[in-house]
Amino acid sequence: MGDSPASSNRVKLRDGRFLAYKERGVPKEKAKYKIILVHGFGSSKDMNFSASKELIEELEVYLLFYDRSGYGASDSNTKRSLESEVEDIAELADQLELGPKFYLIGISMGSYPTWGCLRHIPHRLSGVAFVAPVVNYRWPSLPKKLIKKDYRTGIIKWGLRISKYAPGLLHWWIIQKLFASTSSVLESNPVYFNSHDIEVLKRKTGKATGKKCFRYSKGRFYGLFRAMGLRTRGSKHQYKELYSHLAW
């Protein structure tokens, strides 16, 4: 299998939906570590994963990337929930015959399905890692000194409040074009990355960051709404679902 690009494959789930996936690394039959990567918001199975072919082969690693429901070539799920995301991961692992246990890496917003697996199927997990996981800034256990200089705390706090008490307003803010959106603020603010991050990004090869990553097709754009438990004509219930994901 090696490090060569793989064509997109899909598996059919019990409910009739299809999940798209891509494999990388050594053949799973010979792998010592079988790892499923759960991508974040606005990403896909084609995300950049900076691990060399030599390292992957030396450690005998099999990597499985997949498009979460509503992303890329995977079908959306109108009944999407934390539990359904867990079921998708477990069924994907079963259909590809990964065995009784596997490893998970949750990246950014992909941390909440990963957390769901810890909660609902811990017996299937050999190990779990979180990369830049989503956190709730309202957690009392979150040290204030860690987020003191993070300007996003205010944005996220207001987003959580609005999603809970005025979901229609959040919907309008996401689709409006009169004012700068939250995403454009994040992309244009250099504080988003610290000095070490910037040095790493200078040396990084692979996909572009920032605005170039967000040039989606219309279908991909709608997939982002579905990823948040929303549709373009989202209901109050759907926005509260987003809030519940961020407030576990």
Side-chain angles (χ1 to χ4, degrees), residues 131-152:
V131 180
V134 172
V135 299
N136 188 335
Y137 284 84
R138 296 168 64 184
W139 284 337
S141 60
L142 188 64
K144 294 187 182 300
K145 65 180 181 179
L146 292 180
I147 58 174
K148 185 177 180 180
K149 296 182 180 180
D150 191 344
Y151 73 96
R152 291 168 294 178

Side-chain angles (χ1 to χ4, degrees), residues 39 68-71 75-85 88 112-113 223 225-230 241 245:
H39 69 77
R68 291 166 54 203
S69 175
Y71 279 90
D75 295 334
S76 61
N77 183 0
T78 57
K79 298 180 180 179
R80 184 178 185 148
S81 67
L82 187 63
E83 289 78 9
S84 74
E85 291 252 22
D88 285 355
Y112 82 76
F225 283 90
R226 292 195 294 269
M228 296 190 297
L230 311 177
E241 182 181 3
H245 286 331

Side-chain angles (χ1 to χ4, degrees), residues 215-226 232:
R215 292 177 180 171
Y216 302 125
S217 65
K218 184 175 181 181
R220 181 82 179 278
F221 178 75
Y222 289 158
L224 299 185
F225 283 90
R226 292 195 294 269
T232 51

